[in-house]
Amino acid sequence: MRASTAMSTAVLAALSLTVAALAAVPATAAPAAATAAADTAPGTTAPAGFVGMAPKRVLDTRDSNQVPETRTARPLQEGQYFSTPIATGCHSHPPQECYGVVPADATAVVVNVTVTDPTADSFVTVSGTPGTPGTKPATSSINFRAGQTISNLVTVATGPVNRFVPWLTLYNNAGTAHVVLDVVGYYTPTATDKYGPLTPTRIADSRDDGTAGRLRGDEMRSYLVASPELGTADATSVILNVTATEGTWDSFLTAYPTGTIRPTNGSNVNFPAGTTVSNRVVVPVGPDGRINLYNHAGWVHVIVDVVGYYGPSGKGLFSALKNPVRALDTRNGYSVATGSTVQVQAVPTDGSVPNAMGVETNVTATNVLADGHLTVFPGPGQAPNTSTLNVRAARDTSNSATTAVTPEGRFSVFNHGFGLDLIADVNGYYVTG
C-alpha cells in the first residue's frame, strides 16, 4: 500500500521524503584518493570530547527563513561553493552576530545531511575548508541521481569562526540541488564525555517480537540503551545503527531521548515502502537510560544495534581529519567475495596518530551482485550478528560507521551477501586521552 498524496506532502514538510539508497555516481563522483592515502596523516583537529543534542536545523535552502546568512531560498548551483554558519540565524547590524548552535571552540560537528530535488546526477561535499572557485573537492559526502532525496550522517571538522560561530562549506558538482543540515552533536576540547567502543550488539528486532511486531504509523517505542549488560551504564549518548525494513508506506524514523518532546524537524532513517534502509544514529540518553524511536506513517519493522557510546567512562577523544582520506578502494584491485572479511588499514602506519583506538568512517558498496548486508566491527575474528550497511543488487549504497580498531589501526568488514566492491573513507580518529 502506497502513501496518499496528502501523506507525501506531510512527509515533505518534515523533510522526510522517500530516501533511496545512497547512489555513488561514477560519472560524476569526486576524484578518488589513492588506496594508500591512509599511510599519510593529513592535519587533524585537537582531541575533543562529545556533546550530544536533539536535532537542530541550521540550513534548509528551500526555506528563506532557514538560510541564516542570506535569507534567500535557492538551491545550490552547479560548481558552487556555499558557506553557511552553524547557526539558526544571523543579523547584519553591528555587532554582526549569528545565533550559534555550537560554541566557537567546537572542532567538529555531527550533522545529518539531506539532498532533495536535484536536477542532475551529482555529488555534494560538506567540509570545514572554504573552497576555491573553479576547483572540485577530492571527496564527496553524498552522491545522488536526478530526482532523488537522500540523507547521510556526516562527522566533519568545522571551518573558520565568523560572526562568533564556526561555519561549514558545501559544494555541488552538477545541476542544482537543495540541501538541509540538521546538527545532532559536536566535539569541543572542554567536553568531558568520551567515546566508548563496543562490540556491536543487537538490542531490538521487531521481526522477532511476536507481541509488539512492527511499529504503526505515529507510534513511538522506547528501548533501553544504557545498562551494565551492554557496557553503557553511564552513557550520556549512544551510537546506534538503526534499520527500517518491510515498510508499507514511504516514511521516516526519528530517535530522541525519553523524557523530552519529539523534535518537530529532523529525521534519522528515511525509507521508501518495501525497502531496507539503515543509518547511523547518535542520540542522547533519557534519564531512565532509554531512547524513543518514532515511526511517521504505515507499518515498519525496526532493527536497533548498539555500536558505541559517549560518557564519563569513555576513553576516546576525537580528532577530525581536516581532509578525509580514502583507506580502501577494492575497485583498484580485488572485489570482496561472498562470506569474506576485509581488514581496512584505517590509521596511518607511520606513527603520526599515536594511541588511536577508533575511527569515524564512511563505507560504500558498489558493483553489488545481489541483495545482502555488511557488518563493520573491530576484528579480527567472527563478525557479530549485526548489520552496518544493507546493500541492493546493482545499486551503490553508503553508511557511516563508528568503530574501534585493532592495535595495528585496522577494522574489519564482513560481507554477508554476494560479491561487491568496497570503499572506505576515514573522517577522523579517536585517541586515548
Side-chain angles (χ1 to χ4, degrees):
M1 180 168 57
R2 294 284 177 178
S4 65
T5 301
M7 180 61 69
S8 297
T9 302
V11 171
L12 174 60
L15 190 63
S16 299
L17 292 167
T18 297
V19 176
L22 177 62
V25 186
T28 60
T35 300
D39 286 334
T40 59
T44 57
T45 61
F50 180 74
V51 178
M53 56 186 288
K56 193 72 173 179
R57 184 149 297 172
V58 296
L59 177 71
D60 185 342
T61 61
R62 303 169 303 175
D63 183 351
S64 60
N65 291 320
Q66 294 186 322
V67 183
E69 169 68 358
T70 64
R71 296 294 181 185
T72 302
R74 185 170 183 256
L76 268 65
Q77 304 299 298
E78 182 170 326
Q80 178 187 7
Y81 282 98
F82 177 80
S83 293
T84 184
I86 309 174
T88 57
C90 298
H91 61 72
S92 58
H93 58 79
Q96 293 182 331
E97 295 183 84
C98 293
Y99 319 122
V101 171
V102 303
D105 66 346
T107 58
V109 291
V110 184
V111 58
N112 202 63
V113 183
T114 303
V115 172
T116 190
D117 299 330
T119 61
D121 297 355
S122 183
F123 66 86
V124 163
T125 299
V126 183
S127 173
T129 304
T132 303
T135 66
K136 294 183 180 182
T139 60
S140 59
S141 300
I142 301 182
N143 297 267
F144 49 88
R145 298 189 185 278
Q148 284 188 318
T149 296
I150 60 172
S151 300
N152 196 24
L153 193 69
V154 176
T155 301
V156 59
T158 56
V161 172
N162 184 10
R163 298 193 182 183
F164 306 104
V165 300
W167 287 48
L168 294 175
T169 297
L170 293 78
Y171 172 85
N172 176 45
N173 186 57
T176 65
H178 282 293
V179 179
V180 180
L181 303 180
D182 294 317
V183 175
V184 300
Y186 59 91
Y187 295 90
T188 173
T190 59
T192 57
D193 287 343
K194 300 179 181 180
Y195 166 64
L198 297 172
T199 299
T201 302
R202 179 149 296 172
I203 63 168
D205 187 340
S206 64
R207 298 172 301 178
D208 299 332
D209 189 340
T211 302
R214 289 186 292 184
L215 270 71
R216 301 185 303 272
D218 202 34
E219 180 185 1
M220 178 276 295
R221 197 170 294 173
S222 68
Y223 301 93
L224 181 66
V225 294
S227 70
E229 293 77 15
L230 291 171
T232 56
D234 67 345
T236 57
S237 296
V238 288
I239 309 166
L240 310 174
N241 201 74
V242 178
T243 302
T245 188
E246 300 177 24
T248 59
W249 285 13
D250 300 349
S251 185
F252 64 90
L253 301 175
T254 299
Y256 59 102
T258 54
T260 65
I261 299 173
R262 176 170 54 87
T264 55
N265 287 327
S267 58
N268 297 101
V269 184
N270 297 263
F271 55 92
T275 62
T276 299
V277 177
S278 53
N279 199 22
R280 186 168 64 98
V281 174
V282 178
V283 57
V285 177
D288 58 355
R290 292 176 172 268
I291 59 101
N292 291 330
L293 195 61
Y294 167 84
N295 175 40
H296 178 65
W299 297 70
V300 66
H301 279 300
V302 295
I303 304 162
V304 182
D305 300 327
V306 179
V307 301
Y309 73 97
Y310 299 99
S313 67
K315 305 298 182 184
L317 298 173
F318 184 63
S319 290
L321 281 160
K322 296 178 180 178
N323 294 290
V325 296
R326 180 146 293 174
L328 178 73
D329 187 344
T330 65
R331 296 174 301 177
N332 293 337
Y334 58 92
S335 61
V336 183
T338 301
S340 64
T341 298
V342 173
Q343 287 194 314
V344 180
Q345 184 66 52
V347 180
T349 57
D350 60 3
S352 58
V353 187
N355 304 320
M357 59 180 294
V359 294
E360 286 286 343
T361 182
N362 200 67
V363 178
T364 300
T366 187
N367 300 323
V368 181
L369 297 180
D371 294 359
H373 68 278
L374 303 175
T375 298
V376 173
F377 64 107
Q382 185 174 355
N385 184 30
T386 58
S387 63
T388 304
L389 177 63
N390 293 83
V391 302
R392 298 184 65 185
R395 291 194 181 185
D396 298 344
T397 55
S398 296
N399 195 14
S400 57
T402 306
T403 180
V405 294
T406 66
E408 297 78 24
R410 301 169 185 161
F411 68 87
S412 297
V413 183
F414 179 74
N415 180 18
H416 295 265
F418 291 86
L420 51 80
D421 278 310
L422 180 67
I423 302 165
D425 295 327
V426 176
N427 298 315
Y429 312 105
Y430 291 98
V431 296
T432 54

